[in-house]
Amino acid sequence: MNRKPKRRFLCLLLIMIYLTGCSQTAVQPEPADNTPSADVASDEEKIYGGSITLSMGFPETLNPLENKDVRVDKALSLIFDPLFTLDEEMQPKPVLASEYILSADGRTMSIVLKDGLKWQDGEPITAADILFSLQTIKNADPASLYKPAMANVESVYQSSELVAVINYSEPYGGCAYNLCFPLIPKHYYRHGHDFEPMGSSCYRMTEYSEKHYMKLEACDSSLKGKPYIQKIDVLITPTSLTDTQAFQTGMTDVLVADLNNIGKMNISRDINITAYNSSNFEFLGFNFSQPVLRNNSFRQGLAYGIPLQDIVKDIYLGNAAKSITPINPA
């Protein structure tokens, strides 16, 4: 059968800019154009098979909870599912968990796992894996990506096969966001396996060559089923600039980029660009060590005089939203 030529996909992060002291009214972002590309196949046209090539940084470990590199984390997320993720409105959304229950005093959280979930080796996922994952984060390097998951955690215990309970030292508003960490299996990782990842998602690692590549293959996930793409080759590259160059030359098929990367690229017709919201932001603030800037009225006048809309249009090419706080206005 004749197939359309492979198209490469570039994922563009939408950032937001915010300004302190400017207003008490939030400015809503302009809606992004999320119209699907004509080249994206419908569910009826999709077929199983094929492969794509991605890139990631040099890993110090392939244990997602001890990893310190965001570029490595993106690749490992194909192998490991998180307890929760953030939805399009940047709110915690259950993945492996079915829900969390926060006590009235804000100091105790119960995390309930979905029933019937299994690791890639067929073993059941239980609350013991939550406890083990949190202990792994606690013992990890301070620079590990998921270290905030242990913020204000006083103790953790298992109340049933599918329920883990976290006690906090004090009420903590961001506790739900800290549940967005990948879960690892206790029965497997208590024996090491730092470079032999095994998770619960729909890809498993079949081959790893240090400083060169990692190969993934589709598998049946108890949560997601089987993905359409059968194989994923992951090139190991030294820097994000190398990622951009590899994408430009056609060595890789997908690139997550920001505006700095976009500005250095020649966008050809065989590249589909998809934009999505992120929690990244640029901060425009005031230097309070200057006497004149300590005056609230002066700061407000200066804030209103900054052409934020022109900055969004000309500097960020429309890929930003105005906000008065470092929280995504969506």
Side-chain angles (χ1 to χ4, degrees):
M1 62 183 292
N2 294 325
R3 297 192 184 184
K4 295 179 180 179
K6 178 187 284 188
R7 294 181 66 87
R8 292 180 292 147
F9 289 83
L10 189 150
C11 300
L12 176 64
L13 280 71
L14 295 179
I15 73 165
M16 57 183 173
I17 57 177
Y18 80 97
L19 187 68
T20 59
C22 60
S23 171
Q24 294 302 313
T25 303
V27 181
Q28 295 301 318
E30 297 179 359
D33 182 4
N34 294 320
T35 304
S37 164
D39 292 277
V40 177
S42 66
D43 286 340
E44 291 78 13
E45 295 174 321
K46 291 178 181 177
I47 57 174
Y48 288 96
S51 64
I52 60 172
T53 303
L54 312 177
S55 60
M56 73 174 186
F58 290 127
E60 296 180 10
T61 176
L62 292 177
N63 183 326
L65 301 182
E66 296 178 344
N67 167 52
K68 296 179 283 187
D69 189 333
V70 173
R71 293 165 61 229
V72 174
D73 183 68
K74 290 186 188 334
L76 293 179
S77 67
L78 296 167
I79 303 173
F80 298 89
D81 289 316
L83 272 178
F84 286 78
T85 189
L86 298 181
D87 63 19
E88 293 180 356
E89 296 182 350
M90 299 295 163
Q91 297 297 314
K93 172 185 175 182
V95 180
L96 292 176
S98 62
E99 63 177 338
Y100 70 85
I101 303 167
L102 192 61
S103 63
D105 63 4
R107 294 188 56 180
T108 302
M109 174 180 286
S110 299
I111 304 170
V112 184
L113 283 170
K114 292 177 180 176
D115 194 12
L117 297 181
K118 297 183 182 298
W119 297 107
Q120 291 173 349
D121 63 357
E123 290 293 314
I125 299 176
T126 70
D129 298 311
I130 298 179
L131 271 59
F132 181 78
S133 296
L134 287 170
Q135 186 63 43
T136 301
I137 294 172
K138 180 180 179 180
N139 296 335
D141 188 280
S144 60
L145 297 180
Y146 296 100
K147 202 67 175 181
M150 291 301 294
N152 294 327
V153 173
E154 193 171 68
S155 63
V156 184
Y157 67 92
Q158 179 178 349
S159 65
S160 70
E161 186 75 5
L162 296 178
V163 179
V165 179
I166 302 176
N167 292 318
Y168 295 98
S169 56
E170 59 184 4
Y172 177 46
C175 57
Y177 288 87
N178 288 348
L179 300 179
C180 298
F181 61 87
L183 214 59
I184 63 174
K186 176 181 178 180
H187 73 278
Y188 183 78
Y189 276 95
R190 65 183 176 185
H191 302 299
H193 299 293
D194 284 350
F195 285 92
E196 300 171 305
M198 196 270 286
S200 61
S201 199
C202 47
Y203 286 95
R204 69 170 77 242
M205 191 183 79
T206 58
E207 189 176 346
Y208 174 71
S209 175
E210 184 179 1
K211 297 184 179 180
H212 293 93
Y213 61 82
M214 177 171 68
K215 292 183 179 292
L216 307 178
E217 188 165 326
C219 59
D220 286 316
S221 162
S222 60
L223 180 67
K224 301 175 180 177
K226 188 175 182 179
Y228 285 99
I229 297 171
Q230 180 64 25
K231 295 182 179 181
I232 298 179
D233 294 327
V234 185
L235 299 181
I236 296 177
T237 59
T239 66
S240 57
L241 177 60
T242 313
D243 291 343
T244 304
Q245 293 169 342
F247 181 78
Q248 276 285 88
T249 58
M251 293 177 63
T252 58
D253 300 308
V254 179
L255 176 69
V256 179
D258 58 22
L259 290 172
N260 290 327
N261 298 116
I262 294 292
K264 301 172 185 176
M265 296 176 60
N266 295 318
I267 305 299
S268 61
R269 295 180 63 186
D270 69 335
I271 295 176
N272 284 347
I273 299 179
T274 299
Y276 65 94
N277 287 324
S278 76
S279 57
N280 297 344
F281 61 86
E282 298 280 356
F283 174 74
L284 302 178
F286 297 103
N287 182 1
F288 289 152
S289 66
Q290 299 295 324
V292 67
L293 292 177
R294 296 174 190 164
N295 183 287
N296 185 59
S297 297
F298 182 86
R299 291 199 308 272
Q300 286 185 337
L302 180 60
Y304 281 115
I306 295 176
L308 288 182
Q309 195 56 49
D310 290 340
I311 293 175
V312 170
K313 178 182 176 182
D314 299 331
I315 305 300
Y316 298 104
L317 307 179
N319 295 300
K322 295 186 297 182
S323 177
I324 62 170
T325 72
I327 299 174
N328 193 302

